[in-house]
Amino acid sequence: MFNEVIVLVIIIVAVVMWAIVLGYRSLYREEPLEQLYLSEHFVHDDEVESLLEKHGYEIVGGKFYVPFTFLIDETEEVPSRLWVDLVAQQEERWYVVRIARERMQLDWNAAGIRKQWLPYFHAFPDADGVIVVNVAERSVRLIRMEVGEPTTSSE
């Protein structure tokens, strides 16, 4: 009888501790992309702002970059940067925004999209997508990514 009481007390304590941890995590968890550097500094481009607002996006952050380093053969370090022009929000969704420049080659085929935009999905996994604003074409394109299951090439 005494052993059953001890087991019951241990189970109750474990359930209470689990509920406390779960409650704490839900109260204090960050919003998606809240950890981003939401700089107030960004170049105010009326045309870009107008295009984003027309599509229902609100600009919440400005220009920043994320530094990263490639390590080749464990000896050579190649530093680089991933630039973000803006951070936008629509309802409860957050987006990384890049403004297409003249020198930017925009390939909208699968290989071009993968090559140019995959680093953004890797660097910002909580983002709901990447928005590409092309002022020359007056277009706003939203890129989202879904990752499927690995398969062999014979299937």
Side-chain angles (χ1 to χ4, degrees):
M1 173 87 176
F2 181 70
N3 288 340
E4 293 172 353
V5 171
I6 291 176
V7 170
L8 184 60
V9 168
I10 290 173
I11 291 172
I12 291 172
V13 168
V15 168
V16 168
M17 288 178 61
W18 177 73
I20 289 170
V21 168
L22 215 101
Y24 178 81
R25 290 171 93 188
S26 67
L27 285 175
Y28 295 103
R29 74 174 170 211
E30 294 178 341
E31 286 282 326
L33 293 187
E34 196 172 89
Q35 73 277 9
L36 270 182
Y37 178 67
L38 295 180
S39 168
E40 292 294 323
H41 170 73
F42 58 91
V43 178
H44 291 277
D45 184 327
D46 292 337
E47 197 165 356
V48 170
E49 291 176 30
S50 156
L51 283 169
L52 286 170
E53 287 173 6
K54 178 180 166 188
H55 285 84
Y57 299 105
E58 173 191 358
I59 298 171
V60 294
K63 191 168 188 93
F64 65 94
Y65 68 88
V66 177
F68 58 94
T69 304
F70 294 102
L71 184 61
I72 302 171
D73 294 331
E74 301 297 326
T75 58
E76 183 182 353
E77 289 186 2
V78 181
S80 189
R81 297 176 181 173
L82 188 63
W83 283 96
V84 173
D85 293 314
L86 300 166
V87 176
Q89 186 175 9
Q90 185 180 56
E91 297 171 8
E92 296 298 316
R93 295 189 169 131
W94 295 74
Y95 302 95
V96 172
V97 180
R98 283 292 289 165
I99 301 169
R101 312 275 187 236
E102 285 182 29
R103 63 185 179 273
M104 233 185 213
Q105 295 292 323
L106 296 177
D107 294 327
W108 292 105
N109 57 40
I113 292 169
R114 184 178 56 245
K115 182 178 177 181
Q116 191 162 16
W117 305 112
L118 186 62
Y120 288 91
F121 289 100
H122 180 71
F124 307 105
D126 291 334
D128 289 295
V130 175
I131 297 172
V132 181
V133 179
N134 190 330
V135 177
E137 295 178 2
R138 299 204 41 77
S139 67
V140 174
R141 299 192 76 175
L142 172 61
I143 304 169
R144 293 187 188 195
M145 184 178 75
E146 292 182 17
V147 179
E149 294 294 320
T151 60
T152 63
S153 59
S154 63
E155 290 182 19

